Amino acid sequence: MMTMLKTGFKTGMSAALALAMTATMSSAQDMRAPEGPIEFTVGSGAGGTPDVIMRTFAQIMTEEGLVPNAIVVQNRSGAGHSNAYNHVLGLPGNENTLLMLASPVFTTPLLQGTPSVIDQVAPVALLVQSELLLLTTPDSPHNALADVVAAATAEPGRQRVAGGASGGNDHILTGLLQSATGTTLTYIPHQSGGDARATFLGGNVELHFATLAEGLSMISAGTAKPLAIFSEARRSEEALAGIPTAKEQGVDVVYTQFWGVGGTPGLDPAVAAWWADKFSVASQSGAFQTWLSESLYRSDMVVGAEAGAYFAAEQERFRTVLTAIGLAK
């Protein structure tokens, strides 16, 4: 039975600690601002979570005068985010381009057997995290995670999960859940998370993973029933406080979806440090904290080398799970 991989970062890191880490890095390393207009490169389409996150930061940095440069968010979607990655990797040393990092930064190279993207970009910051909920249909006999485990044990493969894409966050979490419980679930990939949600809402599968905001909207509408949240501790919000963690239910799996930002290969460390400082300051603004609360995300920000270590650990977790389920090349 595979144990959960620990990344070594506490999920409740305070804003003060994040700022202290930034201050330490800044004092130890000179910072230098880039000149000219800036592109935030995003591998998803407009309106997707990576796009929304980067546009939120761009707006705050501009409106609060943190970054004097003009900032444009450029959506270079397609090919599992590869269009965005290839664009940024093709600009070594460029000081005017940053890349939004999401789980395909690991998945796409591992599935295609191509060189790691995360090993090439300059780490800037881990920005935002989100826990995931496991949902079942309202009329399901399952009322707890133990019910899913029992059903999957009795009939291996019978419990089906509607997922967004092979190797994505929900596929990784499905693999972790299987390994921790010794069961077999059937993961059914779709073209998008919206397509997977439609399959689930149509009653065609038993299970579906969702972000907190997505999950709560379905729970409130009476179209889904929550079984577990894959966080270290329960969320404190009234709407979420009644949903037990997987760990509370005897399944030692914690999984956090994340989004971060990196620079071009060989980016001057002084410029990377400058951007890390700007993202840290922007994350403490009232506008960003309000957005976090409304979106039910959290921001346990780490920057620079700490962010790089986090990304590397996540890449190994993806590699382990994708290898176990036969997808990594």
Side-chain angles (χ1 to χ4, degrees), residues 160-166 170-171 174 186-197 199-200 205 207-209:
R160 299 162 296 179
V161 180
S166 292
D170 48 12
H171 203 173
T174 299
T186 296
Y187 180 83
I188 303 174
H190 291 71
Q191 290 295 317
S192 68
D195 290 340
R197 194 173 308 117
T199 294
F200 171 73
V205 298
L207 305 168
H208 181 57
F209 292 105

Side-chain angles (χ1 to χ4, degrees), residues 257-269:
Q257 182 176 355
F258 83 90
W259 297 269
V261 63
T264 58
L267 178 65
D268 185 341

Side-chain angles (χ1 to χ4, degrees), residues 91 112 139 143 170 221:
L91 299 171
Q112 297 179 354
D139 58 353
N143 293 302
D170 48 12

